[in-house]
């Protein structure tokens, strides 16, 4: 693939105090318990700005995972400011979260509904504060940004028999080009990589990392077996997939062929460019139900790892996007693209009809990444999609063998 140095030179980002840059400058309105969800949503609706996004955590009693995710997401490079909305009696440590956001150099405000006078007065106060934040952020100017500063994730959803032969390997080609340019790329869904653990171990940067990858997939298999479900859905079968192994190989092809640099967990930010596997299955005894209840939960976890944008492949079709980070949708099936073209950025089904090669579609996806990273809207952004899901999980910290690049 021939990459465009002129396009790379045009990248721009909003600088953050931690040295990262964001390709967006979003104000997040974050509810800290479900009881503050409605008020927060009304603030976002009345603010009526494409870069004011709603996020939040519904639980009254957060665990460390949920708290860490909120900290990571509110200080994501695409976020310039945060308005935290609390009911007032939940267990989320709102003052600590507020301090974290402010110490990151971002604008941050807190509203406590029980202290602000209830629904109407909190909405009015919230809209005013968001407008003040947007005025300050809109005055900021982006600065030059190198492609090696990009972090890009990938996920597949609504897979069918075409996914593993068109969209997924085309994303793999794009990933290879991005990694070669110095960007950080991550793939995940370890429950959908069962059977591919030895292949991934062979690609690991060190033997120790390879062993950890094998253990990571074995953990996912135990979790799924214990909970009594798997990653193979009825829609996958209706779309022509026949076995878990077939689905796994298709999902695996999104990773491309670059060496695997590291193994990370939700909230871990890649320290350098390279290819990373994101472990999304909770540690310890299975006790939280589905590892991710929907594709958007996985996107949120990649955002928590610093992803500026996400490549979403689908064969049967999907219409979701995300708050904070743009989602680029790549359609694997030419028939699905005909029906849902208004929700898709790239038609990888052209590979199946012989109108394009894998390399050509990979280059198209690569160019789409650069276009969105330079301010162009993805289709889901233009349609106003801002899905967000955050639930309970539990993870242990990664060990030194997971990031061998740090020791080189």
């Amino acid at each position: 693939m021939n990459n465009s140095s002129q396009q790379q030179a045009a990248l721009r980002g909003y600088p953050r105090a931690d040295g990262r840059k964001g390709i967006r400058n979003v104000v997040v309105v974050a509810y800290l318990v479900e009881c503050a969800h409605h008020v927060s949503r009304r603030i976002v609706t009345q603010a009526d700005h494409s870069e004011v996004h709603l996020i939040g955590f519904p639980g009254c009693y957060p665990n460390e995972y949920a708290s860490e995710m909120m900290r990571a997401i509110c200080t994501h490079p695409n976020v310039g400011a945060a308005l935290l909305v609390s009911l007032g009696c939940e267990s989320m440590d709102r003052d600590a979260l507020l301090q974290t956001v402010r110490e990151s150099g971002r604008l941050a405000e807190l509203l406590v509904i029980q202290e602000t006078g209830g629904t109407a007065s909190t909405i009015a106060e919230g809209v005013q504060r968001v407008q003040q934040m947007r005025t300050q952020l809109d005055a900021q100017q982006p600065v030059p940004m190198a492609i090696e500063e990009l972090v890009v994730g990938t996920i597949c959803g609504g897979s069918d028999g075409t996914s593993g032969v068109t969209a997924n390997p085309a994303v793999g080609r794009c990933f290879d080009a991005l990694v070669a340019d110095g960007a950080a790329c991550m793939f995940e869904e370890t429950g959908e990589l069962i059977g591919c653990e030895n292949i991934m171990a062979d690609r690991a940067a060190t033997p120790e990392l390879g062993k950890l990858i094998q253990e990571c997939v074995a953990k996912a298999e135990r979790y799924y077996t214990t909970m009594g479900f798997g990653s193979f859905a009825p829609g996958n079968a209706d779309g022509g997939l026949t076995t878990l192994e077939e689905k796994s190989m298709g999902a695996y092809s999104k990773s491309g062929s670059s060496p695997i640099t590291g193994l990370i967990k939700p909230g871990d930010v890649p320290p350098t460019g390279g290819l990373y596997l994101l472990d999304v299955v909770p540690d310890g005894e299975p006790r939280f139900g589905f590892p991710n209840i929907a594709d958007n939960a996985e996107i949120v976890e990649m955002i928590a790892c610093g992803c500026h944008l996400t490549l979403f492949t689908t064969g049967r079709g999907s219409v979701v996007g995300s708050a904070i980070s743009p989602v680029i949708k790549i359609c694997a099936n030419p028939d699905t693209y005909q029906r849902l073209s208004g929700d898709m950025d790239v038609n990888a089904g052209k590979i199946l009809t012989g109108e394009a090669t894998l390399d050509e579609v990979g280059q198209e996806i690569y160019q789409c990444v650069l276009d969105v990273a330079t301010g162009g809207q993805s289709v889901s952004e233009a349609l106003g999609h801002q899905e967000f899901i955050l639930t309970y999980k539990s993870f242990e910290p990664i060990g030194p063998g997971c990031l061998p690049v740090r020791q080189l």
Side-chain angles (χ1 to χ4, degrees), residues 374-391:
T374 53
Q377 282 194 318
S378 71
V379 171
S380 63
E381 276 188 292
L383 291 171
H385 282 282
Q386 295 182 12
E387 287 82 357
F388 187 92
I389 302 172
L390 180 58
T391 57

Side-chain angles (χ1 to χ4, degrees), residues 16-32:
R16 308 303 179 197
D18 63 4
R20 296 185 291 174
K21 299 184 180 77
I23 63 171
R24 297 293 185 266
N25 210 10
V26 170
V27 173
V28 292
V29 178
Y31 57 91
L32 307 186

Side-chain angles (χ1 to χ4, degrees), residues 362-385:
Q363 179 66 49
E364 184 179 351
I365 298 168
Y366 175 91
Q367 188 60 49
C368 192
V369 168
L370 296 184
D371 290 343
V372 171
T374 53
Q377 282 194 318
S378 71
V379 171
S380 63
E381 276 188 292
L383 291 171
H385 282 282

